[in-house]
Amino acid sequence: MSLIGKEVAPFSAKAYHNGEFIDVSEQNFKGKWSVVCFYPADFTFVCPTELEDLQNEYATLKDLGVEVYSVSTDTHFTHKAWHDHSEAISKIEYVMIGDPSQKISRIFDVLNEEEGLADRGTFIIDPDGVIQTVEINAGGIGRDASTVVNKIKAAQYVRNNPGEVCPAKWQEGSATLKPSLDLVGKI
């Protein structure tokens, strides 16, 4: 069942953020755009490359009014230890949510039940707390955070311009489409 267009279900969790442990819930996703990035586990191989890449785009995302949250089934304590011991992860300024109960991973339908780990899932959530995009990758396939920036820009454009849609490979400032009977069969 697709999560697109659905509001994030209630949850509460502990997270590591800028040297502190904080509480996080689905309410954090309301009032601004959010990117939630699930990954299998701390102290692994592809995961730090993805999270560092996301950090490299963090300033751009913040400029777009977006907050970023990473989530794995590790604890917030493990996130702190990883942050303290990994050159790549020590750069992270966004919230790192612990999901040892696997509840959040189940809510977002990314839990690999057999392994007890989250799949690589990226979700863009609008200011109403509603999921607008979902991307799930196999464990060995890392993600490119620059595509998240482009998807955020498209999602924000569509939200701010009712009646317009963004075609494939849309870039900020390029032409959009206005779906109508006149366009049917002409694209």
Side-chain angles (χ1 to χ4, degrees):
M1 179 167 40
S2 176
L3 294 174
I4 298 291
K6 296 203 169 63
E7 195 169 333
V8 177
F11 73 87
S12 63
K14 294 286 187 188
Y16 179 71
H17 185 234
N18 290 332
E20 296 181 3
F21 295 132
I22 63 170
D23 294 316
V24 178
S25 77
E26 78 288 350
Q27 294 301 313
N28 290 80
F29 303 151
K30 294 191 176 178
K32 64 186 171 309
W33 288 87
S34 301
V35 169
V36 181
C37 179
F38 287 86
Y39 62 97
D42 293 357
F43 294 100
T44 57
F45 315 102
V46 176
C47 299
T49 67
E50 290 185 306
L51 298 183
E52 181 180 30
D53 185 43
L54 194 55
Q55 175 60 42
N56 291 341
E57 296 291 346
Y58 188 55
T60 301
L61 290 164
K62 290 292 281 183
D63 287 345
L64 293 168
V66 178
E67 188 50 72
V68 173
Y69 303 86
S70 64
V71 186
S72 76
T73 57
D74 299 290
T75 68
H76 55 293
F77 298 113
T78 307
H79 291 335
K80 182 193 180 312
W82 196 26
H83 195 275
D84 290 349
H85 290 91
S86 167
E87 184 178 327
I89 299 307
S90 68
K91 300 172 188 174
I92 291 177
E93 299 172 288
Y94 52 81
V95 177
M96 300 178 75
I97 301 173
D99 184 28
S101 70
Q102 304 170 340
K103 179 177 181 177
I104 307 167
S105 298
R106 282 189 181 93
I107 287 170
F108 283 86
D109 199 24
V110 294
L111 183 64
N112 179 323
E113 296 280 350
E114 195 170 294
E115 295 180 5
L117 303 174
D119 287 328
R120 296 188 192 289
T122 308
F123 300 80
I124 294 175
I125 302 169
D126 72 18
D128 299 320
V130 175
I131 297 170
Q132 294 298 316
T133 73
V134 175
E135 178 184 2
I136 311 278
N137 290 11
I141 302 170
R143 295 161 282 186
D144 178 348
S146 68
T147 63
V148 173
V149 171
N150 291 338
K151 287 178 187 180
I152 283 282
K153 288 178 180 180
Q156 289 177 340
Y157 185 90
V158 168
R159 181 179 174 98
N160 294 330
N161 296 277
E164 293 184 48
V165 295
C166 298
K169 296 188 179 186
W170 180 84
Q171 295 290 314
E172 187 175 31
S174 63
T176 59
L177 300 171
K178 291 185 180 183
S180 70
L181 188 58
D182 296 338
L183 281 183
V184 174
K186 295 184 179 160
I187 298 176

